Amino acid sequence: MARYTGPKTRVCRIFGEPILGNGKYLTKNSNPPGQHGPSKRRKAPGEYALQLKEKQKAKYTYGVLEKQFRKTFEEAARLKGVTGENLIKLLEARLDNAVYRLGLSPSRPGARQLVSHKHVTVNGVVVNIPSFQLKPGDIISVKEKDKTNTSITSVFRGKNQKFSWLDWNETEMTGTFVAYPERESVPENIKEQLIVELYSK
């Protein structure tokens, strides 16, 4: 199961944002990585460079590699509506992302691990595919025997940010994927139109 396993702080410095979690090191050194440091002679990025950077940011944010990202984009292009917004909706509908949004894990990589290790069920059936696409009405839950497993429940986030497209029942440890999110409701700072322009070339 392919995933990015390289240095996270380096990636955060490339984009100047804490897209892979804790951004405390950005306050110490927010310059892009490279041996020359904050060089004043860095050229302003061209159109293609900006589009490519935005695609890379989306891939790192959601933990998706190129082949799967391209497949998701092609699916978004087939759907009715704005392709860029459809892309974000499909990325948000991934099972590992929903587990993260519900607060079952402090990070997307952690959520991916919970899913791949068979700790999560969808509509009562164990699903161990992080890229599994949820549909409105799907019920996400921690496997019954894991609800009392402190090694799993201890990583749950305390006060979870509420998202309009997800509903969480803390007592039963179940969440519902209510609907595909509207673009303005998704907090990620991604300019999806640049990705559409890149793939349209």
Side-chain angles (χ1 to χ4, degrees):
M1 185 169 58
R3 68 192 191 284
Y4 176 74
T5 57
K8 295 180 181 179
T9 303
R10 179 185 175 86
V11 173
C12 294
R13 285 173 59 197
I14 290 173
F15 301 104
E17 300 175 31
I19 62 172
L20 291 180
N22 196 334
K24 65 180 180 180
Y25 296 107
L26 286 177
T27 58
K28 296 180 181 179
N29 185 2
S30 59
N31 299 313
Q35 63 177 336
H36 299 298
S39 173
K40 294 181 181 179
R41 293 190 292 177
R42 286 182 185 270
K43 293 182 179 179
E47 180 185 24
Y48 177 77
L50 291 173
Q51 293 168 348
L52 182 61
K53 188 174 183 180
E54 210 61 33
K55 183 190 75 168
Q56 290 171 331
K57 184 198 289 187
K59 285 166 55 180
Y60 281 122
T61 299
Y62 288 98
V64 183
L65 296 186
E66 178 60 35
K67 186 176 180 180
Q68 197 170 44
F69 190 83
R70 181 71 187 236
K71 185 178 178 183
T72 305
F73 177 84
E74 289 171 353
E75 176 63 25
R78 284 193 291 267
L79 297 174
K80 291 182 179 179
V82 182
T83 300
E85 293 182 6
N86 289 339
L87 175 63
I88 298 298
K89 288 178 181 179
L90 291 176
L91 290 171
E92 284 291 329
R94 285 172 56 96
L95 178 56
D96 56 353
N97 183 76
V99 169
Y100 164 69
R101 292 288 194 207
L102 287 169
L104 299 180
S105 174
S107 66
R108 284 188 179 91
R112 184 186 184 97
Q113 188 176 49
L114 275 179
V115 174
S116 61
H117 287 190
K118 300 183 179 181
H119 296 302
V120 176
T121 66
V122 177
N123 299 328
V125 179
V126 174
V127 177
N128 66 337
I129 304 171
S131 61
F132 179 85
Q133 280 288 314
L134 295 168
K135 293 179 175 57
D138 282 349
I139 297 174
I140 308 143
S141 178
V142 178
K143 200 160 64 173
E144 200 61 42
K145 72 173 187 178
D146 292 330
K147 290 181 179 180
T148 55
N149 187 336
T150 54
S151 65
I152 293 174
T153 57
S154 62
V155 302
F156 290 2
R157 294 201 302 270
K159 293 182 179 179
N160 301 323
Q161 183 180 349
K162 301 296 181 184
F163 296 99
S164 59
W165 64 93
L166 293 168
D167 183 50
W168 173 246
N169 184 323
E170 193 166 353
T171 305
E172 297 183 6
M173 292 188 189
T174 61
T176 304
F177 186 75
V178 180
Y180 290 105
E182 295 300 321
R183 178 61 186 96
E184 57 270 17
S185 302
V186 180
E188 260 56 43
N189 181 27
I190 295 172
K191 297 171 184 166
E192 62 275 3
Q193 184 55 35
L194 292 178
I195 302 173
V196 175
E197 292 171 5
L198 177 67
Y199 278 128
S200 298
K201 290 185 175 180

